[in-house]
Amino acid sequence: RARGTVCFVNSTAGLNASPEWSAYAASKFGLRAVADSLRAEEQPHGVRVTTVFPSRTATPMQEHVHAQEGRDYDPSEWIRPETVADVIMTILDLPADATIPDVVVRPR
């Protein structure tokens, strides 16, 4: 009734599966499918559905992943969480005459 926007925060692992990350990628591909289905179901009712696919983001999770991979972690190499939040706010503040179905955010 209120219409609105649903924003899923996924991962670029939901677009491309990497070796040794099959379970993680499968869960992200599944989330992508949920978002795509919901978008198709709710579009006639004026509900927008967007999926944000951030790449590696400078968070404690990323620090842990680097440790698992046996690599040094330098947060300046990755997207800042605030940048991902800004993208989400742009989606939520989008005027009613447009929709952004998917957004990929990668480090520069």
Side-chain angles (χ1 to χ4, degrees):
R1 221 182 212 183
R3 300 180 185 226
T5 302
V6 176
C7 184
F8 289 94
V9 180
N10 199 321
S11 165
T12 52
L15 300 171
N16 298 294
S18 298
E20 301 190 24
W21 287 92
S22 59
Y24 183 74
S27 70
K28 299 308 175 182
F29 271 78
L31 181 59
R32 180 180 178 190
V34 169
D36 290 348
S37 293
L38 184 63
R39 181 179 305 112
E41 292 167 5
E42 293 302 323
Q43 188 276 331
H45 306 291
V47 176
R48 299 182 292 193
V49 177
T50 299
T51 301
V52 178
F53 294 94
S55 185
R56 293 192 176 208
T57 304
T59 63
M61 176 187 162
Q62 196 53 236
E63 188 172 5
H64 180 72
V65 167
H66 274 72
Q68 284 179 317
E69 295 173 339
R71 298 178 357 166
D72 291 333
Y73 175 67
D74 179 358
S76 69
E77 295 178 4
W78 309 115
I79 304 164
R80 294 179 317 116
E82 297 85 355
T83 301
V84 177
D86 286 346
V87 169
I88 293 167
M89 290 307 299
T90 298
I91 291 162
L92 296 176
D93 289 339
L94 193 66
D97 66 334
T99 188
I100 301 172
D102 300 301
V103 177
V104 177
V105 185
R106 298 192 187 280
R108 188 170 358 148

